[in-house]
Amino acid sequence: MAGKLFGVIYLTPRQIKLSIIDLKNLKLIESSTATYFQVTDEHYPKNIQMVAEKLRGFQQLLRDYGVKNYRLWGNQQSLDDVSARYLAEQIFVRTGIHVHWLNISQLTYYKAIGIITHLDNFKEITSEQTFLLSLGSERVSLSQFQQHKFVSTWNIDLGSEHLSDLSDVIDLSPSDPIEVVDDYIGSKLENLRHVLTPNQQAPHLILQDARALNQKLIPHGQDTVLLTLERFNELFEMVIHSSEQFLINYFDIDEHIVERLIPNFILIEKIIRLLNVQQLILSNITVSDGLAIEQAQKNRLIKQDLNNIILTSAENIANRYLTSHSHRQIVTSLALHLFDQLKKLHHLGKHERLLLQIAATVDDIGNYINQHGHYRHSAYILEANKLIGLSDDENQLIAEISRYHSSEAPEVDEPHFQRLAPAVQMKVAKLAAMLRLADALDDSREEKIQKISVSLQTDQLIIYAYATQNIALEKWSFKNKAALFTEVFGIQPILKQRRRLK
């Protein structure tokens, strides 16, 4: 059994937790959580000893269970890249464990796949419109599901760290602090009112990471519990009219949590009214659950497509910037066909195939700003809009592929290309070279080419395009865009037209 056990260690700004999980059935075997602490620049010297001590204790617990495979992930929301590297190095020196940092979009993704997999009646409740509200340390995320599928997500600057800043605002208005908090949270939710359909009923709201409510209301051994609106309203009135000491005793929480309790309750109450929620579901399914699910999928112990949320996120940004749906569909199909037929040439794997699919979906979003140099515009839009489920490096890789999908080629003297590791530079070049060919095959945006077939020879790649219409424009574009492919792979692509389908 120990061979199927996996250790998920998750470091957040306030705690560190170990979960030992049987990947075969995703059951939790053992868990251990450290006490709260602050992970900020000025507290590194003090906290690093606590982190290292807890990690060594976790390593002993893993040995006791015979678990050899484990990994440490860290929530990077409150850390800049340099501080994260410093902290990771300090942890490695003391414990020998590498930290794999997670950005906000990855945290949203892992929370969502945890809910999708572990919520018993997920398919049933998401047949109707359902929202998932996750309370994070830096941002709150609100994700929408409909017809069993992920629809969209929004990040709101109302994480616990932002809410802690309210204490300074409240000091300016000690006579009515609740009103100040209410106004502040209302201002942060204003943008949602413009993107959500007014008066549209949301039958279900899943509430995630509401630590005090979970601790008080979810029975031991359960992942979820139904919370009626009447019960929530009773708790809401009690919370905003009670002292901190009463709330500490009632919810059995410490002072680090109680200072965020009133703002969180006001936030939840506003979301309920905004979405016209009919039913609340509390869940203690966490990021750690999502990380274990991904690991089980990588080990082929479960068969589950985890890419739908990532691809939907790409489709959403493509729609937001008004790219042609038909063009991106045909370019994506052609690019993936080339990828599949040229495996012996590029030696890339399934994950790179996914990245190519994403890049083919979003590469034209820069046209929204200006058709001239649109590929550059695509790159900086993507650098500012992280795709859900992808790391910072993967998001940067998508941006670079989009930058080079049209006319510019990677150059060693370009700062944005120099920043990439050599292995990543090669992935960008290979994927951009294939995407360029696919994009050229629909240069007219008229879907003239019905299908292609590929013949890879020693020094040539012959692509047969089956089309009954004149494809002179596509041939001209193909010739211009084929140079990068030749430079990267040392093979000359040649486009030939065939007028009859095989």
Side-chain angles (χ1 to χ4, degrees), residues 278-293:
Q278 304 301 303
Q279 186 180 75
L280 266 177
I281 300 170
L282 291 183
S283 171
N284 57 19
I285 297 168
T286 66
V287 170
S288 296
D289 296 300
L291 292 167
I293 292 164

Side-chain angles (χ1 to χ4, degrees), residues 65 75 78 106 145 148 186 206-207 212 226 268 293 328-329 340 355 449 494:
Y65 275 88
N75 180 330
S78 61
Q106 289 174 291
F145 296 86
H148 319 304
I206 304 167
L207 189 56
L226 181 65
I268 297 166
I293 292 164
R328 69 180 187 247
Q329 275 195 320
D340 294 339
L355 296 176
I449 296 174
I494 297 173

Side-chain angles (χ1 to χ4, degrees), residues 17 110-122 125 130-135 205-219 221-227 268 279-290 293:
K17 179 180 180 180
Y110 288 118
K111 289 178 181 181
I113 65 172
I115 290 291
I116 291 170
T117 303
H118 284 298
L119 194 65
D120 290 337
N121 57 345
F122 177 81
I125 66 172
T130 300
F131 286 85
L132 169 64
L133 179 64
S134 297
L135 308 178
L205 176 65
I206 304 167
L207 189 56
Q208 198 174 31
D209 291 333
R211 195 178 307 277
L213 281 171
N214 289 352
Q215 188 163 304
K216 181 68 176 179
L217 300 177
I218 298 181
Q222 290 185 206
D223 291 328
T224 58
V225 70
L226 181 65
L227 178 61
I268 297 166
Q279 186 180 75
L280 266 177
I281 300 170
L282 291 183
S283 171
N284 57 19
I285 297 168
T286 66
V287 170
S288 296
D289 296 300
I293 292 164

